[in-house]
Amino acid sequence: MTGASNGIGYELAKQFAQNGFDLLVTATGASINEAAQAFEGLGAQVETVQADLATYDGVETLYNHIKATNRPVEAIAINAGVGVGGDFARETDLKGRTKSD
């Protein structure tokens, strides 16, 4: 679950926790640790990753943590996002640049 420290991401993570899912949650700030405690209170096992998913390195960090769990991903909610201009799917790369840069 990305963007899980507040707002929609927090509420989505809470729903997953309440419905029997363990969580790997991420956000840019340390507040993800406080959110994780709340999710654990709902019965979920929770791992946190503090990463900026607006950067290539942040995405790689999250991906590597997912792989390191050695568990299948049963559901995923990608709530983090950033607009850098242009059509994201066709005009940007994972490094956050438009292909015309």
Side-chain angles (χ1 to χ4, degrees):
M1 169 66 59
T2 65
S5 62
N6 60 51
I8 293 170
Y10 180 91
E11 293 300 323
L12 286 170
K14 190 165 98 174
Q15 288 297 314
F16 278 99
Q18 289 172 329
N19 284 283
F21 287 89
D22 292 328
L23 306 174
L24 188 148
V25 293
T26 187
T28 56
S31 60
I32 193 61
N33 297 316
E34 294 170 23
Q37 290 178 351
F39 305 141
E40 287 171 343
L42 298 171
Q45 291 182 357
V46 183
E47 292 186 43
T48 63
V49 177
Q50 191 172 337
D52 182 356
L53 299 182
T55 67
Y56 180 84
D57 289 339
V59 172
E60 287 294 308
T61 296
L62 176 59
Y63 178 68
N64 288 327
H65 274 80
I66 292 169
K67 288 191 319 185
T69 67
N70 285 325
R71 294 177 66 178
V73 175
E74 295 181 19
I76 191 167
I78 305 297
N79 182 58
V82 62
V84 293
D87 182 328
F88 178 78
R90 290 181 284 278
E91 297 176 13
T92 61
D93 63 19
L94 286 177
K95 294 182 181 174
R97 298 182 300 227
T98 62
K99 291 183 179 175
S100 62
D101 286 349

